[in-house]
């Protein structure tokens, strides 16, 4: 027997109770499973966000960095043709 807090009235009820003895809410222990589901959804969302951020970082690293490098190197390329002809 373990007690959980009723999701409706915060009264301590048994996990096997079908209804809260105080407020009569059905499945008072349901909050636990909902919390676990929320935690699982949070983990899944975190993984999705981390992969999105990882993909974005990879994209930035492979797309923007060469552009920035070209942009930085470009003035030197602009200067060298001036001296060559
Ligand atoms: Zn209750």
């Amino acid at each position: 027997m373990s007690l959980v807090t009723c999701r409706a009235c915060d009264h301590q009820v048994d996990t096997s109770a079908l209804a809260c003895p105080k407020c009569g809410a059905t499945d008072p222990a349901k909050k636990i499973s909902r919390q676990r589901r929320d935690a699982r959804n949070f983990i899944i969302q975190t993984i999705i966000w981390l992969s999105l951020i990882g993909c974005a970082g990879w994209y930035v690293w492979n797309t923007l960095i060469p552009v920035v490098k070209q942009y930085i190197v470009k003035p030197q390329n602009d200067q060298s043709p001036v001296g060559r002809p």
Side-chain angles (χ1 to χ4, degrees):
M1 284 180 69
S2 58
L3 293 173
V4 291
T5 306
C6 172
R7 59 190 159 89
C9 68
D10 293 338
H11 184 70
Q12 291 293 309
V13 292
D14 192 86
T15 50
S16 60
L18 295 174
C20 174
K22 192 182 179 185
C23 70
T26 53
D27 294 330
K30 211 173 184 177
K31 190 181 181 182
I32 296 299
S33 59
R34 197 173 68 187
Q35 279 179 342
R36 283 179 184 169
R37 195 178 61 201
D38 287 348
R40 196 179 61 189
N41 286 342
F42 176 77
I43 290 168
I44 292 170
Q45 284 179 0
T46 303
I47 291 170
I48 291 171
W49 274 110
L50 281 176
S51 11
L52 280 174
I53 291 168
C55 287
W58 182 84
Y59 178 79
V60 166
W61 183 260
N62 287 291
T63 308
L64 286 182
I65 296 299
V67 171
V68 171
K69 277 182 181 174
Q70 281 180 353
Y71 188 77
I72 293 170
V73 172
K74 205 175 179 180
Q76 294 176 352
N77 288 340
D78 286 344
Q79 286 175 357
S80 53
V82 174
R84 278 178 189 173

